Amino acid sequence: MELQNFDKMSNHQNKETEEVQKRAKELKVPFADLANKDIPVEVLKEIPEEAAAFYQLIPIKRDKGILEVGLVNPDDLKAREALRFIALRSQLEPKIFIIKPTDFFNVLKQYRSLRGEVEKALKELEQELKIEEVKAPAAKIKPEELVQKITAEAPVTKIVAVILRHATEGRASDIHIEPTEDKVRIRFRVDGGLRTSLFLPKEIHSAVISRIKILSNLKIDETRVPQDGRFHTIIDKRKIDFRVSTLPTVSGEKAALRVLDPSIGLKGFADLGLFGYNLKALEAAIEKPFGMILITGPTGSGKTTTLYAILNVLNQEGVNIISLEDPVEYYIEGINQSQIRPEINYSFASGLRSILRQDPDVIMVGEIRDEETASLAIHAALTGHIVLSTLHTNNAVGVIPRLIDMGVGAFLLPSALNLAVAQRLIKRLCEECKKEVSASPQITAIIEEELGKLNPEHKKKIVWKKPYKVYQAQGCKFCANKGTKGRIALFEVVLMTPALEEIITKNPTEAAIEEEAKKQGMVTMRQDGVFKALQGIISFEEMLKAVEE
């Protein structure tokens, strides 16, 4: 799937290049390829962003009195007239090139720097506060009232909008707005790690939080207790949801926003990292008319994302799918999604009872947390429903003992459980800058040990030979010098088989289940990690860290 998408994207880019080069010959204008090119800030300043966006022209290079400019439409007389005016004002001679629309939009984004845009908005805010102070003498109006008055006006609105857009464009999963003693820290979580992106003056903290509360329909005047809300906005023609949580701290209210971008959060199996045996086992389980599929792993391991990927496959016209979630993360057309509310006794257990009266074909329960929910989920799986849910265990084989500990009869599990999947998230290496290196003796020993433990059928398919090659992160402009870009999951799955049924009814220990699972062909999470490291998808060191946690 990934290769098909890559091929389609490459074909589209090649076609666009050919078309623009053809136009370049017709118009007798040289073609400039700006793919993956960074334009220096001092060059971008030669043409204001507003003019660049309106006339679709980009400054490329400034050298010895000549300004090289790329135009999407060099035959646009208004654009050329505007360029002539800009060049005369700067006392530069313009040299025109034709560029691809894709390159134009990519370079246009370079005008946008989070710090620069926020600083501009802060200056506007400062100016407006001065104007308000002149209109209303200090004796009559308090500073905090001034801030509240300004909250809904342009500068603060712009500051919040800029933060939201940069978080989305930077593929952040969360935004943290944290007050300290003398400033406000803005941090983005990208690929699982938090990094500081910006500091704001403490004076505008309440205005920023108030703006977020207004968007989320929360109480502006309530600062003593936590609040939860949600809102959505359109960014780059995409509808992005933000889940908001506020928390009172000694320095003021902290806000945490979960960024829910469907283009990133809703993925196919290949994007998640499911290949080979693991993918076949999951696809086989999905095709069964009833039974339970459980996803397990620690908090933040991507379990819900995997559930959504399965739901997307099952989401068809003739199928009634109902989900119970806490909270609903992504809205999916065609699925009946319900959010539990424990404060009014609408829990996973009570919701599951109601769902069973809604004639469902597929039921998704966000998490099995207690005995009652476990019992109801097993009952639903036994009475002709596909049941998807999550559980907290260390590995896939631990699912069965965990359900037994929760009061589920061991004799029920073979008929109810189709598949147990365990997963961990790990950072992907940047495709642009990863470097191939020879595996060290220690890494070679681990590779040989894990490959040696594989089922005989899997061993026949091994394509890697000594000396083994692994990959290391380097860092470049495409990954913000981190060496990694995005995340992928490591998986292991346990499929219900007749031999495993016998073990569950007689001796359901984790060791006995694991031994049988390996006989049936289970690829452990560590082995899945070795495969992905040898393919250059992840680094070996990151893989070891993830599976040993």
Side-chain angles (χ1 to χ4, degrees):
M1 186 68 73
E2 283 181 322
L3 287 174
Q4 287 175 356
N5 290 338
F6 180 77
D7 288 341
K8 284 179 184 176
M9 188 171 66
S10 297
N11 290 337
H12 173 73
Q13 289 172 347
N14 292 337
K15 189 177 178 183
E16 185 187 34
T17 302
E18 288 170 9
E19 287 174 356
V20 175
Q21 285 175 335
K22 185 180 175 183
R23 280 195 69 209
K25 287 179 182 176
E26 290 171 357
L27 297 171
K28 296 180 181 177
V29 175
F31 167 68
D33 189 356
L34 303 184
N36 306 326
K37 185 170 182 178
D38 276 335
I39 309 296
V41 176
E42 60 272 15
V43 175
L44 287 175
K45 285 179 181 176
E46 293 295 342
I47 298 179
E49 181 184 359
E50 293 79 7
F54 186 79
Y55 293 107
Q56 294 193 314
L57 46 84
I58 288 290
I60 301 171
K61 186 180 178 183
R62 186 186 63 201
D63 187 34
K64 296 176 183 177
I66 294 174
L67 180 64
E68 295 182 3
V69 183
L71 282 81
V72 174
N73 298 302
D75 51 346
D76 183 339
L77 295 177
K78 288 184 179 179
R80 293 187 75 136
E81 184 62 27
L83 175 58
R84 192 178 69 82
F85 174 78
I86 292 166
L88 278 173
R89 191 182 60 185
S90 306
Q91 296 183 332
L92 293 168
E93 181 70 28
K95 185 178 179 182
I96 292 174
F97 292 82
I98 188 171
I99 59 173
K100 295 181 289 186
T102 304
D103 289 350
F104 164 73
F105 288 111
N106 287 338
V107 175
L108 194 62
K109 288 180 182 178
Q110 294 177 28
Y111 274 99
R112 303 171 181 172
S113 101
L114 176 60
R115 199 172 304 278
E117 288 188 83
V118 169
E119 281 176 4
K120 185 179 175 184
L122 283 172
K123 284 178 184 174
E124 290 177 25
L125 177 61
E126 188 179 346
Q127 198 62 35
E128 291 203 16
L129 284 171
K130 284 178 182 175
I131 293 168
E132 290 294 336
E133 283 174 348
V134 170
K135 287 181 184 175
K140 293 184 181 178
I141 191 162
K142 296 176 182 177
E144 56 268 27
E145 290 173 354
L146 275 176
V147 170
Q148 285 183 359
K149 191 177 187 321
I150 295 291
T151 297
E153 297 183 15
V156 169
T157 302
K158 190 182 291 184
I159 288 169
V160 172
V162 167
I163 290 169
L164 298 181
R165 194 186 72 237
H166 276 268
T168 304
E169 289 179 352
R171 299 173 63 89
S173 61
D174 299 87
I175 305 167
H176 292 258
I177 301 172
E178 304 165 320
T180 63
E181 192 174 338
D182 57 350
K183 55 183 174 284
V184 181
R185 179 172 62 172
I186 311 295
R187 292 198 289 174
F188 294 165
R189 186 178 295 281
V190 180
D191 296 342
L194 274 173
R195 58 181 177 84
T196 300
S197 298
L198 183 70
F199 286 104
L200 296 175
K202 186 65 182 281
E203 296 76 38
I204 71 158
H205 167 251
S206 60
V208 170
I209 296 295
S210 293
R211 175 62 185 159
I212 291 166
K213 284 183 172 181
I214 289 167
L215 290 169
S216 314
N217 230 1
L218 301 178
K219 295 177 183 175
I220 300 174
D221 56 346
E222 181 56 83
T223 60
R224 300 163 300 168
V225 296
Q227 296 186 68
D228 295 308
R230 190 174 187 133
F231 69 93
H232 72 264
T233 187
I234 305 298
I235 297 175
D236 291 336
K237 298 180 181 178
R238 303 198 314 272
K239 181 183 173 185
I240 311 295
D241 280 304
F242 294 89
R243 202 172 73 222
V244 178
S245 171
T246 65
L247 181 76
T249 73
V250 291
S251 300
E253 276 188 291
K254 175 188 186 300
L257 289 77
R258 170 63 56 88
V259 184
L260 301 168
D261 184 349
S263 66
I264 296 174
L266 299 177
K267 298 180 178 179
F269 292 149
D271 299 318
L272 294 173
L274 279 159
F275 309 115
Y277 173 80
N278 291 339
L279 178 59
K280 286 178 183 174
L282 179 58
E283 288 175 338
I286 290 171
E287 286 174 8
K288 292 187 177 180
F290 62 88
M292 183 183 282
I293 298 173
L294 287 178
I295 316 292
T296 184
T299 302
S301 60
K303 299 187 295 294
T304 305
T305 305
T306 303
L307 284 180
Y308 277 126
I310 297 170
L311 285 176
N312 265 335
V313 173
L314 295 170
N315 188 13
Q316 296 170 16
E317 176 66 28
V319 180
N320 180 21
I321 302 176
I322 306 179
S323 74
L324 277 176
E325 304 176 53
D326 182 25
V328 174
E329 294 212 1
Y330 297 99
Y331 295 114
I332 305 175
E333 189 73 29
I335 295 178
N336 305 287
Q337 296 171 272
S338 181
Q339 181 167 320
I340 69 159
R341 299 191 181 278
E343 68 273 13
I344 56 171
N345 295 321
Y346 182 43
S347 62
F348 281 126
S350 62
L352 198 44
R353 283 197 194 89
S354 299
I355 278 180
L356 291 170
R357 294 192 288 272
Q358 288 285 323
D359 184 32
D361 298 298
V362 179
I363 299 169
M364 194 267 261
V365 182
E367 185 182 345
I368 294 177
R369 296 176 179 171
D370 52 50
E371 291 182 20
E372 188 179 10
T373 308
S375 175
L376 288 166
I378 291 288
H379 172 73
L382 289 170
T383 52
H385 305 92
I386 294 174
V387 180
L388 311 173
S389 191
T390 69
L391 203 63
H392 281 283
T393 64
N394 290 328
N395 50 33
V397 297
V399 165
I400 293 162
R402 175 76 179 121
L403 288 171
I404 293 170
D405 287 344
M406 294 178 86
V408 176
F411 64 94
L412 295 173
L413 286 175
S415 303
L417 183 65
N418 289 340
L419 191 75
V421 181
Q423 66 181 78
R424 296 281 190 286
L425 279 181
I426 186 168
K427 294 176 183 177
R428 273 180 182 267
L429 286 172
C430 173
E431 288 295 324
E432 302 294 333
C433 66
K434 65 183 180 183
K435 181 184 175 185
E436 185 184 78
V437 295
S438 296
S440 66
Q442 294 90 340
I443 289 176
T444 298
I446 294 170
I447 292 170
E448 291 191 324
E449 181 188 354
E450 293 303 327
L451 295 183
K453 292 177 185 174
L454 286 169
N455 176 289
E457 282 299 311
H458 296 326
K459 282 182 182 178
K460 292 176 186 176
K461 299 173 185 176
I462 293 174
V463 296
W464 303 286
K465 305 291 180 188
K466 288 177 74 173
Y468 299 112
K469 300 289 183 182
V470 291
Y471 294 77
Q472 290 180 346
Q474 296 298 301
C476 66
K477 65 181 180 181
F478 297 102
C479 58
N481 290 314
K482 293 181 298 181
T484 57
K485 192 173 182 181
R487 290 190 290 176
I488 195 168
L490 304 182
F491 290 95
E492 67 179 29
V493 304
V494 174
L495 195 61
M496 189 59 67
T497 61
L500 189 56
E501 288 179 22
E502 193 174 336
I503 288 170
I504 292 170
T505 52
K506 291 181 180 177
N507 179 34
T509 64
E510 199 165 312
I513 294 166
E514 184 174 4
E515 187 180 344
E516 174 53 35
K518 286 178 179 176
K519 284 180 186 175
Q520 67 175 239
M522 179 180 80
V523 175
T524 67
M525 200 176 292
R526 194 181 177 98
Q527 289 165 344
D528 190 39
V530 168
F531 294 163
K532 289 184 170 91
L534 289 170
Q535 288 172 312
I537 299 170
I538 59 176
S539 79
F540 210 92
E541 293 76 13
E542 281 287 327
M543 181 275 291
L544 290 176
K545 196 190 301 181
V547 297
E548 289 169 6
E549 282 179 351

